[in-house]
């Protein structure tokens, strides 16, 4: 199972819904938006790949990510859900046996990126 599917599964469990369902209700849009943000922030994937995972196009994935970032500035529930997803993912990342070579490379790249960002934050 690749990283996108793992994130998708965790978000579907948290919100108790199917991200691929065609629905404009708030909880569906919020869950899909959270999926886009988590994937883009933590994986080295394109918006095209993210959109394809939830049966949307790349422009929709870009919109979802920007929209959720705006909502997170004032909606603490969304921030809490984002942090819950990250915690669930980091707990599972302790065991890397299920990852193939390409997924491990992607994980290493995202960790290097995160490390650089943290170093920049410390320098400020």
């Amino acid at each position: 199972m690749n990283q996108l599917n793992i994130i998708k599964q965790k978000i579907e469990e948290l919100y108790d819904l199917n991200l691929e369902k065609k629905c404009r209700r708030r909880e569906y849009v919020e869950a899909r938006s959270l999926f886009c943000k988590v994937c883009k922030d933590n994986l080295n994937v394109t918006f095209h790949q993210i959109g394809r995972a939830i049966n949307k196009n790349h422009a929709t994935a870009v919109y979802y990510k920007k929209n959720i970032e705006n909502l997170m500035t004032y909606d603490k529930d969304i921030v809490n859900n984002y942090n819950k997803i990250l915690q669930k993912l980091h707990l599972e990342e302790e065991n890397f046996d299920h990852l193939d070579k390409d997924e491990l490379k992607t994980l290493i790249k995202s960790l290097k990126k995160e490390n650089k960002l943290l170093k920049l934050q410390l320098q400020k």
Side-chain angles (χ1 to χ4, degrees):
M1 182 178 266
N2 70 21
Q3 293 286 69
L4 285 173
N5 289 334
I6 292 171
I7 294 171
K8 184 175 162 186
Q9 178 186 12
K10 295 300 175 191
I11 291 175
E12 287 176 341
E13 288 172 6
L14 178 66
Y15 281 87
D16 193 29
L17 50 79
N18 181 0
L19 291 178
E20 295 181 39
K21 182 178 179 184
K22 279 193 159 191
C23 184
R24 291 194 221 175
R25 290 195 345 234
R26 179 186 171 136
E27 58 268 16
Y28 284 85
V29 174
E30 185 178 302
R32 287 191 292 259
S33 298
L34 218 103
F35 172 77
C36 293
K37 177 155 178 62
V38 170
C39 290
K40 197 61 181 169
D41 288 352
N42 295 287
L43 302 176
N44 187 21
V45 293
T46 64
F47 281 113
H48 179 74
Q49 292 169 315
I50 294 169
R52 199 172 10 155
I54 54 174
N55 291 332
K56 302 290 180 190
N57 65 33
H58 75 282
T60 304
V62 171
Y63 171 78
Y64 279 153
K65 183 178 182 294
K66 286 181 181 179
N67 188 43
I68 199 75
E69 287 172 345
N70 182 33
L71 290 173
M72 288 174 77
T73 60
Y74 62 87
D75 191 337
K76 299 302 178 199
D77 291 334
I78 294 175
V79 174
N80 289 338
N81 287 341
Y82 179 79
N83 291 330
K84 283 180 190 176
I85 293 298
L86 291 181
Q87 287 174 351
K88 287 182 179 185
L89 292 172
H90 290 299
L91 289 176
E92 279 193 4
E93 286 181 3
E94 298 298 324
N95 183 4
F96 299 106
D97 296 336
H98 66 284
L99 299 177
D100 65 13
K101 185 177 179 180
D102 291 333
E103 290 173 333
L104 285 171
K105 285 181 181 178
T106 302
L107 181 61
I108 290 169
K109 286 179 184 177
S110 68
L111 288 172
K112 286 180 179 179
K113 180 180 173 184
E114 184 180 351
N115 190 25
K116 286 180 184 177
L117 290 173
L118 290 171
K119 284 180 182 179
L120 287 173
Q121 287 177 351
L122 286 173
Q123 290 175 355
K124 289 182 181 178

